[in-house]
Amino acid sequence: MELLRKWLGHPEDIYNLLRFKMGGYRTVMPRMDTDSLGCGLRTCYRYLNQTSRSFAAVIQALDGELRHAVCIFYLVLRALDTVEDDMSIPLDVKVPMLHEFHSYLYQPDWKYTESKEKDRQVLEDFPTISMEFRNLSKVYQDVISDICHKMGVGMAEFLEKKVDSQHEWDKYCHYVAGLVGIGLSRLFSASELEDSIVGQDTDLANSMGLFLQKTNIIRDYLEDQMEGREFWPREVWSRYAKKLSDLAKPENIDGAVQCLNELITNALHHVPDVLTYLSRLKNQSVFNFCAIPQVMAIATLAACYNNQQVFRGVVKIRKGQAVTLMMDATNIQAVKAIMYQYVEEIYQKIPSTDPSSNKTQQVISSIRAVSLPGSPMASRHHYSPIYLSCAMLLAALSWQYLSTLSKATEEYVQAGEN
């Protein structure tokens, strides 16, 4: 009955989960016909679905030849990332591989068969991926190769180097996510689905990646600690603890939450850039592709802000909440309203004693200035008494069915968790 009690508190989740499952998801993620694809491309899309529940659906919803370019771009970077993550590869082997990985795209027979990572198939069958890369138009090849080269160099730099300053935090996030945003933006423009300015404005594209990456790093504190990884910048956490791992100790919880709030405030500075970037997009499939992860990120930050649970377990947004965001975030005014809603939620939770309270209020003021919601979306979560009564009755009748449904829709809402 816990599931029922949770959904009774959020009747809109019930409605949107049902709407999503009954076909609403096809408005943002239409089904792709794979029967007409060649053997190599079918294999690539199979690898895409195997390695990413988060992005597979939205990539396959992109229009035209851009879909294939982004699919190959994802698989190339997944292969690169698999090399970087594989701790069984000695550094004297790994560093040259990362530096030279972009050149393997033009070597038809190159593959790596000694990886121990779960996604090793993208390395073992790299010849199929590189063949489809070479089948892309040269304008796409040039973008993918260039980003792969820059990312490989950046990954090698941080292999034995911890994130120290906030500047280095931005630099690390640029290498692993900002470059992805820049590469995708250049692909959007190369496809001519978007104007050239989208690919040329690398600062905005970088901010798109940094906002997502910082959100993941902030949310994943405990998981990274358990895996022996540290991505929070020392410049910030050292003001609250002697070691980053000390933030998880109960006696340090007050300082830990203050550190958390400071990093969330840092991440929020990217939101105006995100809104400016999204406002330039014209193609609906590209807009959905870009907007959905961003609204998931702001909802995640709102859930994490001033929340001790970040240091005790996993903080996730509700599946129904994620579905609602996916179905709402289809135009810039809706996205602005969503951003406004969640920064207001953060604003209401700012402790007066928090060392970053003034900075948090200032950045929220700047976000308000560019995201004041229009009247249609301002009331997006106001439901009539009749609707609420019907939703509660529906919840009472169908909570067990929705429990099963929740599992069925998980592949579509994981984008908010990764």
Side-chain angles (χ1 to χ4, degrees):
M1 294 298 291
E2 179 61 29
L3 179 66
L4 174 60
R5 284 192 294 270
K6 181 170 66 174
W7 275 339
L8 283 174
H10 302 279
E12 71 275 14
D13 287 2
I14 305 169
Y15 172 71
N16 284 313
L17 276 168
L18 282 172
R19 188 160 62 105
F20 189 75
K21 183 59 177 177
M22 297 304 290
Y25 60 91
R26 290 301 174 202
T27 63
V28 290
M29 290 178 290
R31 189 185 301 277
M32 186 185 78
D33 177 21
T34 58
D35 293 341
S36 60
L37 300 180
C39 180
L41 266 179
R42 283 202 303 272
T43 299
C44 287
Y45 279 105
R46 186 174 78 249
Y47 291 154
L48 174 66
N49 283 290
Q50 289 172 351
T51 58
S52 175
R53 289 188 303 177
S54 302
F55 295 109
V58 287
I59 287 175
Q60 291 172 86
L62 288 168
D63 289 340
E65 62 183 16
L66 176 63
R67 178 189 306 145
H68 301 328
V70 174
C71 173
I72 300 305
F73 185 42
Y74 174 87
L75 291 177
V76 168
L77 297 188
R78 171 59 65 189
L80 178 67
D81 190 58
T82 301
V83 171
E84 194 268 343
D85 284 343
D86 195 334
M87 302 305 291
S88 70
I89 304 176
L91 284 180
D92 61 342
V93 174
K94 182 183 292 190
V95 171
M97 281 182 70
L98 292 174
H99 278 276
E100 298 300 323
F101 201 87
H102 66 289
S103 68
Y104 304 152
L105 292 166
Y106 299 97
Q107 298 177 30
D109 298 325
W110 186 91
K111 59 184 175 180
Y112 186 75
T113 58
E114 299 175 30
S115 177
K116 310 300 181 187
E117 291 292 297
K118 61 181 177 64
D119 294 331
R120 58 185 175 274
Q121 71 267 33
V122 294
L123 290 172
E124 293 172 347
D125 192 19
F126 197 75
T128 296
I129 296 171
S130 68
M131 176 185 68
E132 292 303 329
F133 163 82
R134 293 188 298 276
N135 285 338
L136 294 172
S137 299
K138 186 176 184 300
V139 66
Y140 296 132
Q141 290 185 37
D142 290 346
V143 172
I144 295 171
S145 176
D146 180 54
I147 297 298
C148 181
H149 185 198
K150 291 174 179 174
M151 187 176 289
V153 171
M155 285 178 168
E157 178 182 337
F158 278 91
L159 273 179
E160 293 186 297
K161 173 181 175 183
K162 290 189 176 181
V163 179
D164 217 8
S165 65
Q166 293 186 67
H167 173 74
E168 285 183 336
W169 197 36
D170 280 356
K171 189 176 183 181
Y172 171 76
C173 291
H174 165 74
Y175 282 139
V176 301
L179 282 172
V180 178
I182 291 170
L184 286 169
S185 300
R186 290 169 60 188
L187 292 177
F188 299 157
S189 294
S191 72
E192 298 186 353
L193 293 176
E194 299 296 345
D195 291 336
S196 58
I197 186 62
V198 173
Q200 292 168 357
D201 196 333
T202 56
D203 287 342
L204 292 188
N206 188 59
S207 278
M208 292 283 285
L210 263 61
F211 186 59
L212 298 181
Q213 186 65 22
K214 288 181 178 181
T215 298
N216 289 344
I217 288 173
I218 290 166
R219 181 202 59 197
D220 292 341
Y221 165 83
L222 195 60
E223 178 184 331
D224 287 337
Q225 282 294 301
M226 293 174 67
E227 296 291 333
R229 301 186 295 259
E230 293 191 353
F231 299 114
W232 285 26
R234 177 186 294 271
E235 180 183 344
V236 176
W237 65 254
S238 63
R239 293 198 289 270
Y240 302 94
K242 291 183 178 179
K243 295 187 297 183
L244 182 56
S245 58
D246 289 344
L247 295 179
K249 295 179 179 178
E251 62 269 24
N252 295 329
I253 194 62
D254 290 342
V257 170
Q258 291 174 354
C259 180
L260 168 70
N261 291 347
E262 183 173 345
L263 291 181
I264 290 176
T265 299
N266 177 296
L268 288 174
H269 281 90
H270 298 293
V271 172
D273 279 356
V274 167
L275 292 174
T276 301
Y277 180 96
L278 293 175
S279 69
R280 290 176 172 172
L281 301 180
K282 300 184 301 183
N283 179 270
Q284 188 65 57
S285 72
V286 172
F287 187 91
N288 294 345
F289 177 89
C290 295
I292 289 172
Q294 301 294 332
V295 296
M296 297 287 190
I298 192 66
T300 299
L301 289 183
C304 289
Y305 186 81
N306 210 49
N307 189 350
Q308 298 180 4
Q309 186 61 25
V310 172
F311 304 95
R312 297 170 178 164
V314 180
V315 175
K316 294 183 179 180
I317 60 177
R318 304 181 310 277
K319 289 182 175 64
Q321 182 183 6
V323 165
T324 298
L325 291 170
M326 291 173 67
M327 297 184 72
D328 281 355
T330 57
N331 62 79
I332 187 60
Q333 291 305 319
V335 171
K336 286 182 177 181
I338 292 167
M339 292 290 188
Y340 185 90
Q341 171 191 335
Y342 284 109
V343 296
E344 286 301 302
E345 184 178 315
I346 292 172
Y347 185 83
Q348 295 302 320
K349 295 193 289 186
I350 299 175
S352 59
T353 56
D354 190 274
S356 302
S357 61
N358 287 338
K359 290 182 179 179
T360 310
Q361 290 169 354
Q362 288 171 7
V363 71
I364 287 177
S365 293
S366 69
I367 296 170
R368 283 172 174 161
V370 294
S371 65
L372 287 173
S375 54
M377 289 303 299
S379 58
R380 58 192 290 273
H381 289 308
H382 293 169
Y383 296 87
S384 70
I386 292 176
Y387 168 75
L388 290 173
S389 298
C390 291
M392 292 175 71
L393 176 61
L394 178 61
L397 293 174
S398 60
W399 71 272
Q400 188 172 12
Y401 165 73
L402 286 172
S403 178
T404 304
L405 172 61
S406 172
K407 182 178 180 180
T409 59
E410 185 159 351
E411 65 179 282
Y412 298 107
V413 302
Q414 288 293 323
E417 302 173 2
N418 293 283

